[in-house]
Amino acid sequence: MRVPVLLFSFLFASIACGQNLLHQPESIVYDPDGQRHIVSNYETGDLVQIDSDGNQSYFSQLLTGQAIVGINLQEGFLYVACNGGDSAGVVVFDVASDSYSRRLIAPGQNLLNDIAFDTSGYIYVTDYWDSKIYYGRVETDTLQILFDENLDNPNGICFDAANNRLLTVAVAGDGGPILAINPVDSSFSVGGYTGLNGMDGIAIDDSGYVYVSNWTTDSIFRIPPNLGGIPVAWSDGHTDPADIYIDSWNNLMCVPNFSDNSVDFVPMNEVAVQSTNDHLLPVLAILYPCYPNPFNSTTTLSFELANPMSIELAIFDTSGRLVQTLAQNQSYTAGRHELNWDASQVASGLYIARLQTPSWKQTVKLQLVK
C-alpha cells in the first residue's frame, strides 16, 4: 500500500472547462489570510492562485515571459525567484493587495531556484547552475553571496527551526547529500546522505522529519530528523515533483508536478509505507562517498543496506571500463559495511565506484592522486 494522492476538485474542474492555468508548476505556498494556494509557473512566468473552491485565476502576470522558480511567503509578502529580464533577482509582492512591492538584486545570478527564511530576518536563495547561495536581510535591496563553492548544485532549501539550521539538497553531490548550513557562523557540512539521484525540493514537518522530492522515481521520500539511515518512500505517482511544500493549515503536502501541469495534495496524517508500484524503486541501499577522497593509494568505501541482500561493488574508469570488482554477488546483512580499495597498481585519475543491488544502483566518484 502507498500513501494515496489526493487531488482537489479544482484540477478536474479546470481541465473540464479548459481553464488549467498551470504551465510547468515549480513551487507552491499557502496564503492563510486569502485562503488560497499560490503557484509559480516556470514556463510562462505567471503566478496562479487557487481558491478554496478550486477556482484558478492569475495572482500576477507581471513576470510573464520570465523563468520564475521558487516562491515563499514571509510576513505578508510573496518572494519570487526570477531569472531573466529587468526583473531578475527576487521579486517581492504585497499579498494583501496582490501588487508589486520591490526587488532584491542578486549580483551575478545564473538560475535562482528556491527561497527560505530563518527566524532572524534573513532570506536565503539557492542558485542552481552556479552552485551558490545568496543571503541578506529581508529589507535589503541587494543580496550577498553566502557560499559559492563545494555546493554541488543546490536546489531546494528549507529552514530547520528546531536545530537553527538551513537544509539544502546538493543535486550533483556524491551519495545524494543534504547540506546543513549554520546561519550563525556561516558554515556548512553534510547533514546526511540519501542515496538519491534527481532530488529537487525539500520540506520539514513539525516533528522534524525531512521530505525530499525525487524526479528519478517520481516520488517523495521521508528522512528521520537526524538525517541518518535510509530514506523511506512516502508518496509516489507524481510527475517530476518540484519544490514540495507542507501546508500546515490544511495538513497537506503540496506537490507541483512540473511535467504534468498539475498539483497533488497528499494528506500529512497518512502513515508512510513502502509502495508496491512497479515503477517506484525504494531506496534499499546507500553508497557513501569514499574516505579519504582524493586519496593516494588506498581508500574506504562504505555502504548501508536496509535488508539482507546480495550486492556488487565495482570500480570503473571514466570510459566505463571495469577496473576492479570488490564484491560480486556477495550477500551482506542489513546495516553498514566497509570495503577497502587498494589502488596502488592503478594510474592516477578519476574513477567511479558503483554499488548495485537487485533493484537499486548508485555511483560515487573517486579521485586517485599519486
Side-chain angles (χ1 to χ4, degrees):
M1 176 182 177
R2 70 177 174 88
V3 175
V5 171
L6 174 67
L7 294 180
F8 276 164
S9 60
F10 82 82
L11 181 56
F12 303 110
S14 62
I15 292 176
C17 61
Q19 295 298 312
N20 185 15
L21 303 179
L22 303 179
H23 298 281
Q24 294 184 341
E26 170 67 25
S27 190
I28 182 170
V29 294
Y30 183 70
D31 168 24
D33 293 331
Q35 296 185 9
R36 59 185 173 174
H37 289 90
I38 302 174
V39 185
S40 64
N41 278 337
Y42 178 82
E43 182 180 23
T44 61
D46 302 323
L47 290 163
V48 175
Q49 58 187 0
I50 306 167
D51 67 21
S52 56
D53 293 323
N55 300 308
Q56 294 186 32
S57 59
Y58 289 113
F59 171 87
S60 175
Q61 291 185 286
L62 178 68
L63 304 178
T64 296
Q66 302 182 49
I68 60 174
V69 191
I71 60 176
N72 210 335
L73 272 174
Q74 179 77 352
E75 301 294 333
F77 291 93
L78 179 71
Y79 293 75
V80 182
C82 181
N83 297 277
D86 295 335
S87 298
V90 178
V91 179
V92 186
F93 291 87
D94 186 325
V95 175
S97 61
D98 295 1
S99 61
Y100 172 85
S101 174
R102 59 195 181 90
R103 178 168 63 104
L104 285 64
I105 298 172
Q109 74 175 73
N110 195 328
L111 181 65
L112 297 186
N113 199 297
D114 200 14
I115 300 172
F117 301 92
D118 65 17
T119 54
S120 300
Y122 283 87
I123 181 175
Y124 301 84
V125 188
T126 59
D127 188 315
Y128 180 79
W129 286 124
D130 272 359
S131 290
K132 295 185 294 195
I133 293 179
Y134 291 90
Y135 83 110
R137 298 287 303 180
V138 292
E139 64 270 16
T140 191
D141 292 325
T142 303
L143 299 174
Q144 305 175 54
I145 295 175
L146 181 64
F147 301 113
D148 63 355
E149 59 181 14
N150 301 323
L151 294 180
D152 293 317
N153 301 113
N155 198 324
I157 188 170
C158 68
F159 183 64
D160 176 9
N163 296 292
N164 193 33
R165 63 182 180 178
L166 292 122
L167 301 176
T168 184
V169 296
V171 177
D174 282 346
I178 295 177
L179 303 182
I181 300 167
N182 185 333
V184 176
D185 62 10
S186 300
S187 64
F188 77 90
S189 60
V190 174
Y193 293 95
T194 67
L196 294 168
N197 297 314
M199 290 188 294
D200 192 310
I202 185 170
I204 186 168
D205 67 18
D206 292 338
S207 299
Y209 283 91
V210 175
Y211 301 77
V212 294
S213 58
N214 183 256
W215 284 46
T216 305
T217 59
D218 283 335
S219 53
I220 310 299
F221 288 88
R222 188 172 76 170
I223 303 165
N226 62 3
L227 301 180
I230 294 177
V232 173
W234 183 79
S235 171
D236 70 283
H238 310 286
T239 306
D240 297 337
D243 288 338
I244 54 177
Y245 171 80
I246 296 177
D247 171 3
S248 58
W249 292 269
N250 297 294
N251 201 31
L252 294 171
M253 169 71 75
C254 307
V255 185
N257 292 303
F258 186 85
S259 299
D260 192 38
N261 298 330
S262 65
V263 177
D264 294 337
F265 295 87
V266 185
M268 290 297 296
N269 57 358
E270 297 286 351
V271 178
V273 289
Q274 290 288 357
S275 169
T276 58
N277 283 16
D278 292 337
H279 78 277
L280 177 59
L281 299 178
V283 178
L284 297 176
I286 294 179
L287 176 60
Y288 296 103
C290 67
Y291 183 82
N293 190 29
F295 66 102
N296 179 264
S297 60
T298 303
T299 191
T300 299
L301 292 133
S302 301
F303 60 94
E304 186 171 354
L305 306 178
N307 306 306
M309 67 184 71
S310 177
I311 65 105
E312 177 184 283
L313 183 58
I315 309 296
F316 299 84
D317 63 20
T318 53
S319 66
R321 182 181 65 88
L322 176 65
V323 176
Q324 187 173 341
T325 300
L326 303 182
Q328 185 172 19
N329 298 325
Q330 188 170 341
S331 296
Y332 284 87
T333 60
R336 188 155 180 164
H337 304 273
E338 293 184 350
L339 290 174
N340 294 324
W341 181 35
D342 183 353
S344 57
Q345 304 302 312
V346 180
S348 297
L350 180 66
Y351 293 89
I352 308 296
R354 186 185 71 189
L355 174 70
Q356 187 161 355
T357 76
S359 61
W360 188 259
K361 180 168 63 176
Q362 186 192 342
T363 62
V364 299
K365 298 184 289 290
L366 305 84
Q367 183 71 49
L368 174 61
V369 180
K370 292 185 176 180

